[in-house]
């Protein structure tokens, strides 16, 4: 099947043509669109402090929801507190179909450092901070962010932390639980304690360590949400990616996002931006269809065989 140009189906609701991966996947008791929005970049530099342009940040959030986004990822340690307060100001009262996913497990130091906060008391406080700053009585989904090696998981029991969150779920403060920065063994351990609806790990076209885990989760109907889908603080760079983008009349970042959507039906994307222009560019990737030949070409980037 030939590659097809990007359309604005995500924006208008028109069906896409070709092998577009646009669609939905269950996240807890709701099915959300596979292209969501990550709010991390709405905070100041280093994900710390207020944004340079508060009005622009609010406008991006409103534009995301107006464009059909029904899955927003955040945390009260972004800022800290900044992104949640922006989300509340921009969108509260929230649309009935909007799922807001947050994460707990760290706090920020006065020097903008990331400090593990994994005790039951710290996790409980983090949940209450999220509730207050988002302006809700119950959180849709809370991910336990295991600190590990910052952006890579490391083995070790997470039973105490996940049990603490499961207790808050039983108290009615959390609807669903997820995990972030974890190994397959930790997912299995957590699932013995409570249901896990999503896993959020570092994964993108060039960073493929979670290939096996994605397939495991897909078989169980569990969503996989890659963080740094475009490379994070070091954006993806590949001549193969650029060449494919030129051929499709798209941007390299759109192609990288489209590849993720084609990778597995359980992948939910949360690319972040503080720009409406970039937001629309990201959303457009949901309508970018890729042929089997193009997917194979892009797959080689992760195997280190690309030019």
């Amino acid at each position: 099947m030939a590659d097809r140009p990007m359309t604005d189906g995500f924006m208008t609701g028109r069906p896409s043509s070709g092998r577009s991966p646009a669609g939905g996947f269950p996240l807890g008791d709701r099915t959300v669109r596979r292209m969501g929005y990550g709010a991390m970049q709405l905070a100041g530099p280093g994900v710390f402090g207020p944004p340079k342009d508060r009005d622009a940040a609010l406008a991006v959030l409103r534009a995301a929801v107006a464009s059909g986004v029904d899955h927003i990822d955040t945390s009260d340690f972004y800022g800290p507190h900044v992104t949640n307060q922006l989300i509340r100001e921009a969108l509260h009262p929230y649309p009935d179909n909007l799922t807001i996913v947050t994460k707990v497990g760290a706090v920020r130091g006065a020097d903008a450092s990331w400090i593990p906060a994994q005790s039951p008391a710290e996790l409980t406080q983090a949940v209450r901070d999220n509730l207050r700053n988002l302006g809700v009585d119950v959180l849709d989904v809370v991910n336990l962010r295991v600190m590990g090696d910052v952006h890579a998981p490391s083995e070790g029991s997470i039973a105490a932390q996940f049990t603490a969150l499961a207790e808050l779920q039983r108290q009615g403060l959390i609807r669903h639980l997820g995990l972030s920065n974890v190994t397959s063994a930790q997912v299995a351990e957590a699932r013995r304690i409570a249901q896990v609806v999503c896993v959020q790990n570092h994964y993108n076209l060039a960073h493929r360590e979670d290939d096996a885990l994605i397939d495991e989760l897909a078989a169980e109907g569990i969503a996989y949400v890659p963080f740094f889908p475009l490379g994070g603080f070091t954006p993806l760079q590949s001549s193969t990616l650029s060449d494919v983008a030129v051929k499709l009349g798209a941007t390299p970042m759109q192609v990288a996002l489209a590849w993720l959507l084609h990778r597995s039906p359980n992948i939910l994307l949360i690319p972040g931006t503080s720009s409406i222009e970039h937001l629309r560019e990201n959303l457009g990737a949901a309508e970018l269809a890729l042929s089997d030949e193009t997917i194979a070409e892009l797959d080689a980037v992760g195997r280190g065989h690309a030019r």
Side-chain angles (χ1 to χ4, degrees):
M1 182 178 295
D3 294 321
R4 295 175 183 263
M6 181 182 64
T7 73
D8 61 351
F10 190 98
M11 308 295 292
T12 66
R14 294 198 301 271
S16 58
S17 58
R19 288 191 53 211
S20 167
F25 191 82
L27 182 59
D29 56 1
R30 294 174 176 167
T31 294
V32 300
R33 285 186 163 186
R34 295 183 61 209
M35 183 67 77
Y37 173 75
M40 183 178 74
Q41 292 188 32
L42 295 184
V47 200
F48 195 74
K52 174 188 272 188
D53 188 336
R54 186 178 186 86
D55 288 341
L58 297 172
V60 168
L61 286 163
R62 291 171 180 144
V65 171
S67 298
V69 167
D70 57 9
H71 168 206
I72 291 178
D73 180 83
T74 186
S75 175
D76 211 55
F77 55 64
Y78 294 162
H81 317 306
V82 169
T83 61
N84 280 354
Q85 291 168 357
L86 289 168
I87 290 169
R88 180 176 183 174
E89 182 176 346
L91 303 176
H92 195 278
Y94 302 114
D96 291 340
N97 69 331
L98 180 63
T99 296
I100 299 177
V101 180
T102 189
K103 63 188 71 66
V104 296
V107 293
R108 306 300 297 278
D111 59 352
S113 57
W114 303 80
I115 303 169
Q118 305 261 315
S119 72
E122 289 170 322
L123 295 171
T124 298
Q125 183 60 53
V127 166
R128 296 193 181 282
D129 288 343
N130 277 276
L131 288 166
R132 182 183 66 255
N133 285 311
L134 287 171
V136 295
D137 297 323
V138 56
L139 298 169
D140 294 329
V141 183
V142 174
N143 288 331
L144 171 64
R145 212 299 183 178
V146 182
M147 295 307 285
D149 294 326
V150 184
H151 296 315
S154 57
E155 294 291 358
S157 176
I158 60 171
Q161 300 98 304
F162 204 69
T163 297
L165 291 182
E167 175 56 32
L168 295 173
Q169 183 183 38
R170 283 189 290 270
Q171 293 175 20
L173 301 181
I174 302 170
R175 287 194 180 92
H176 302 287
L177 296 173
L179 297 165
S180 179
N181 203 38
V182 290
T183 66
S184 176
Q186 289 167 335
V187 173
E189 180 183 42
R191 294 184 70 201
R192 291 191 289 270
I193 297 169
Q195 181 186 18
V196 173
V197 302
C198 59
V199 171
Q200 187 178 112
N201 275 10
H202 184 189
Y203 185 83
N204 56 48
L205 179 64
H207 187 92
R208 303 281 299 278
E209 282 80 353
D210 266 5
D211 273 333
L213 178 59
I214 289 171
D215 295 338
E216 291 174 17
L217 297 174
E220 299 293 335
I222 298 172
Y224 183 92
V225 188
F227 66 74
F228 291 165
L230 297 176
F233 301 112
T234 305
L236 294 173
Q237 291 186 338
S238 161
S239 59
T240 297
L241 184 61
S242 297
D243 291 345
V244 169
V246 170
K247 181 175 67 173
L248 296 180
T251 70
M253 296 301 97
Q254 285 177 320
V255 174
L257 292 173
W259 177 87
L260 284 167
L261 291 173
H262 282 81
R263 168 61 181 81
S264 181
N266 68 321
I267 288 181
L268 302 177
L269 295 185
I270 51 167
T273 179
S274 58
S275 158
I276 290 181
E277 179 183 358
H278 290 156
L279 169 72
R280 297 191 183 282
E281 179 183 315
N282 290 341
L283 296 182
E287 302 301 329
L288 187 62
L290 306 178
S291 69
D292 291 340
E293 179 182 0
T294 297
I295 291 171
E297 188 177 1
L298 292 169
D299 283 345
V301 174
R303 295 194 299 269
H305 296 157
R307 290 183 284 115

